[in-house]
Amino acid sequence: GEAEILNLFNVGAAWASRHAFKSLILGKTYYSCIFSDERLVKFISKYPIRTLIGSPLQISAFLESHEKTGIKLPLLRTICMGGSSPSLKFIDRIKSQLDCKVFNTYGSVEAGFVGVCEAHGQDAYTFSIRPPVLLQIVDENNQLLPDGEVGIVRYQRPDMATSYYKNPEISAQFFKDGFFFPGDRGFLDQQGRLVLDGRTNEIINIGGAKLNP
């Protein structure tokens, strides 16, 4: 997004902490808020905020407050969402209420930022993977699958977590062979982009055929 950026995520989150440190290193102001009510709308109108980062829930609360106050936000140009997948209906609502570009991001607390896509149509869930992330699709035996074949998502980056604190059993479930397994299913298209297809714990196995509800 364009500077200046306002981050609604707690500073302890990976994405927010990296953003905060980068701002400090570059000598720039880091904007952060812990509220999503009318105070947030007034805050954005007071400072030259052009990009707003938050979860779909936080952005939804912001839209409600913005609608109530009626305050114009002509400088706000970009909305970036992460934490969960926004619906197409919600994306359309943002665009109708604000003259903004909308981006959907993919990542995790454990590994931080992984990929991003501009949210429009079905491409709202097709993510371009950003270096230094290495993302792969594997089967139940951790064997690499060819592009276009749906399987289990795993990824790694140099600065990610490698275990959960004092929890070796859960760590062994989600961290394997230097990769983090977020519990997502998907495939890589011909451009090397990740297309999400559901969650591994929601798959229904019918006679060996794995179906996403």
Side-chain angles (χ1 to χ4, degrees):
E2 300 176 42
E4 302 287 341
I5 298 172
L6 171 60
N7 203 320
L8 300 180
F9 286 113
N10 187 290
V11 179
W15 190 6
S17 61
R18 286 193 184 98
H19 178 201
F21 288 132
K22 182 178 179 180
S23 298
L24 291 170
I25 290 169
L26 296 176
K28 295 182 177 181
T29 302
Y30 176 74
Y31 295 92
S32 179
C33 281
I34 59 171
F35 40 76
S36 302
D37 56 21
E38 288 86 352
R39 291 173 293 174
L40 173 59
V41 183
K42 293 176 181 177
F43 188 91
I44 294 175
S45 67
K46 180 179 179 181
Y47 296 97
I49 306 299
R50 290 179 173 81
T51 299
L52 183 61
I53 295 175
S55 69
L57 186 63
Q58 290 170 321
I59 299 300
S60 178
F62 160 70
L63 290 179
E64 295 289 341
S65 300
H66 175 253
E67 201 168 41
K68 288 178 182 177
T69 61
I71 296 175
K72 302 294 184 183
L73 302 173
L75 295 181
L76 189 60
R77 306 302 303 158
T78 307
I79 302 289
C80 293
M81 288 183 287
S84 62
S85 294
S87 67
L88 294 177
K89 183 177 179 181
F90 182 57
I91 292 169
D92 290 340
R93 180 190 172 195
I94 297 173
K95 292 181 178 180
S96 66
Q97 187 169 331
L98 299 166
D99 184 21
C100 287
K101 285 187 175 182
V102 181
F103 289 89
N104 191 14
T105 63
Y106 178 70
S108 61
V109 172
E110 293 84 352
F113 181 73
V114 172
V116 64
C117 65
E118 187 168 355
H120 51 77
Q122 290 303 320
D123 283 344
Y125 312 105
T126 301
F127 299 90
S128 297
I129 308 305
R130 296 297 178 92
V133 176
L134 171 62
L135 185 143
Q136 298 174 340
I137 306 298
V138 298
D139 62 17
E140 286 79 2
N141 298 314
N142 289 336
Q143 298 300 308
L144 289 175
L145 294 175
D147 291 353
E149 189 168 335
V150 176
I152 300 167
V153 177
R154 71 178 188 182
Y155 50 78
Q156 62 177 210
R157 61 178 297 157
D159 54 353
M160 75 176 194
T162 55
S163 65
Y164 293 114
Y165 183 62
K166 292 185 177 180
N167 200 332
E169 183 178 340
I170 299 299
S171 296
Q173 182 180 346
F174 290 96
F175 295 91
K176 305 170 190 175
D177 302 322
F179 286 88
F180 174 63
F181 289 71
D184 293 320
R185 287 175 60 84
F187 65 91
L188 294 174
D189 66 11
Q190 292 181 340
Q191 287 77 45
R193 300 177 303 175
L194 170 67
V195 182
L196 291 178
D197 188 64
R199 297 283 295 170
T200 56
N201 59 359
E202 295 173 349
I203 294 301
I204 302 170
N205 192 334
I206 302 176
K210 296 176 174 60
L211 304 177
N212 183 353

